[in-house]
Amino acid sequence: MTDANTYTVSDRFEDRGDIARIRFTPKSGSKLPPFTAGAHIDIYLPDVDMWRQYSLCSDPAETGFYEIGVLKDPNSRGGSTAVHRLAVEGAEFKLDGPRNHFPLDETAARTVLLGGGIGVTPMIAMAKRLHALGKDFTLHYCTRSDAVTAFKDALDSSEFADKVVYHFDDQDADQRLDLARDLPAPASDTHLYVCGPQGFMDWVISTAESDGHARANVHREYFSADVDLSGDSFEVECAESGITVTIGPKDTIAKALAKEGIKIEVKCEEGVCGTCITDVLSGEIDHRDQFLTEEEREDGDQLCACCSRGKGKLVLDI
């Protein structure tokens, strides 16, 4: 690892709900690359040979460290458990980024942030930025119970504590998130941001859009997704390299092309990070990702090679 992209774990705090709050500083001692609210970093985990993405929850004005929160998920594919095992103080990691696919519209008159569980991490950075700008906002934070609500002590002692509303599943119905009550009325200058488990996000997004909120004003970031990778075989032609391959029912475009020496960088493998976006010259795409917007899908000129498929034959610009 080169010092330019090597970071050291400078601090780690075990928070409620089996969540580790981890801070990274550049090994080289160089200036921390700046980031904007909603950004994430990519962390390489050599023990399991995978990249994983984690939203930054630190203040965008912070120049000394990046902070993330990582849930130790027993149902994960190994990423979160590897981070919990390896990210001890003094450990070194290769990081990429920061990158922002979930940017905050700082011009909005009103902003409502809705975080489910560990999905609150980008919302915390957004809340810090909105507070610094003097904006009108509310952060709704949903968890199973008070006992597993990470970041609660920090949020309760923050300067915007009065903007934070907690919703616990084990409390009475009046205390839980009620979208009929808690979503604002639709307006062109009102923006919603949602991140959390897929079921939680689908519920919030569908309700908001059915209530009349413009799709462009309902921002979302999936930190994981249940992806169906199965399907009929189809062909992929690589226009630049001249290679044509058949993608089998249990294969992916990225994996099949890698066997032919054509490498498409893949990180999340779930269609949520956008790393493997590939240009499509022709063919009908069967989108399986959670990254592209509906408008981008309708354009039909790009796909996530880690999970999306084709119907018939696809010609890629690689």
Side-chain angles (χ1 to χ4, degrees), residues 245-286:
V245 297
T246 298
I247 314 298
K250 296 182 179 180
D251 214 345
T252 68
I253 295 173
K255 289 179 179 178
L257 291 180
K259 295 173 186 176
E260 301 296 326
I262 301 176
K263 182 174 176 56
I264 297 175
E265 187 176 9
V266 173
K267 289 187 175 177
C268 74
E269 300 178 282
E270 296 181 327
V272 297
C273 77
T275 301
C276 65
I277 290 291
T278 303
D279 290 337
V280 178
L281 298 178
S282 66
E284 185 179 355
I285 304 167
D286 180 5

Side-chain angles (χ1 to χ4, degrees), residues 57-60 123-133 137 160:
C57 57
S58 41
D59 192 330
M123 307 300 178
I124 294 174
M126 290 181 177
K128 291 174 179 177
R129 177 60 178 167
L130 291 167
H131 174 73
L133 293 172
F137 75 95
F160 54 85

Side-chain angles (χ1 to χ4, degrees), residues 11-67:
D11 195 15
R12 172 171 170 160
F13 172 65
E14 303 300 328
D15 210 334
R16 308 178 191 186
D18 221 2
I19 291 173
R21 291 168 52 189
I22 303 164
R23 291 181 176 181
F24 296 94
T25 55
K27 178 183 178 181
S28 63
S30 60
K31 187 177 180 181
L32 190 75
F35 73 96
T36 53
H40 70 271
I41 53 174
D42 300 326
I43 302 178
Y44 181 63
L45 304 169
D47 278 24
V48 288
D49 189 25
M50 61 173 61
W51 287 90
R52 285 295 175 262
Q53 296 72 41
Y54 295 98
S55 295
L56 294 170
C57 57
S58 41
D59 192 330
E62 175 60 55
T63 59
F65 59 83
Y66 294 138
E67 181 175 342

Side-chain angles (χ1 to χ4, degrees), residues 123-174:
M123 307 300 178
I124 294 174
M126 290 181 177
K128 291 174 179 177
R129 177 60 178 167
L130 291 167
H131 174 73
L133 293 172
K135 292 289 188 174
D136 178 14
F137 75 95
T138 303
L139 167 57
H140 291 278
Y141 184 8
C142 306
T143 66
R144 295 192 309 277
S145 71
D146 178 273
V148 296
T149 303
F151 303 100
K152 190 171 186 300
D153 294 340
L155 290 172
D156 287 346
S157 61
S158 70
E159 294 180 343
F160 54 85
D162 61 324
K163 303 285 189 180
V164 181
V165 182
Y166 298 102
H167 304 280
F168 305 129
D169 291 344
D170 63 356
Q171 299 294 317
D172 58 65
D174 289 342

Side-chain angles (χ1 to χ4, degrees), residues 84-252:
H84 272 252
R85 182 177 72 254
L86 300 172
V88 296
E89 288 189 31
E92 295 180 357
F93 288 85
K94 178 182 177 181
L95 304 187
D96 271 356
R99 281 187 285 273
N100 199 340
H101 302 311
F102 191 40
L104 178 66
D105 187 334
E106 298 181 353
T107 67
R110 187 179 185 190
T111 302
V112 176
L113 312 171
L114 301 109
I118 194 61
V120 77
T121 48
M123 307 300 178
I124 294 174
M126 290 181 177
K128 291 174 179 177
R129 177 60 178 167
L130 291 167
H131 174 73
L133 293 172
K135 292 289 188 174
D136 178 14
F137 75 95
T138 303
L139 167 57
H140 291 278
Y141 184 8
C142 306
T143 66
R144 295 192 309 277
S145 71
D146 178 273
V148 296
T149 303
F151 303 100
K152 190 171 186 300
D153 294 340
L155 290 172
D156 287 346
S157 61
S158 70
E159 294 180 343
F160 54 85
D162 61 324
K163 303 285 189 180
V164 181
V165 182
Y166 298 102
H167 304 280
F168 305 129
D169 291 344
D170 63 356
Q171 299 294 317
D172 58 65
D174 289 342
Q175 197 270 342
R176 299 172 196 163
L177 183 66
D178 180 348
L179 296 181
R181 175 195 64 203
D182 297 323
L183 287 183
S188 60
D189 56 1
T190 293
H191 286 250
L192 312 179
Y193 295 79
V194 57
C195 184
Q198 186 167 352
F200 169 81
M201 293 185 61
D202 292 345
W203 171 52
V204 174
I205 292 166
S206 62
T207 302
E209 293 183 352
S210 66
D211 285 352
H213 287 273
R215 177 173 291 175
N217 287 13
V218 183
H219 310 272
R220 76 254 0 230
E221 181 172 65
Y222 289 86
F223 58 77
S224 65
D226 297 324
V227 183
D228 178 10
L229 299 177
S230 63
D232 296 334
S233 297
F234 62 99
E235 283 193 340
V236 166
E237 177 186 336
C238 301
E240 186 175 326
S241 61
I243 291 176
T244 298
V245 297
T246 298
I247 314 298
K250 296 182 179 180
D251 214 345
T252 68

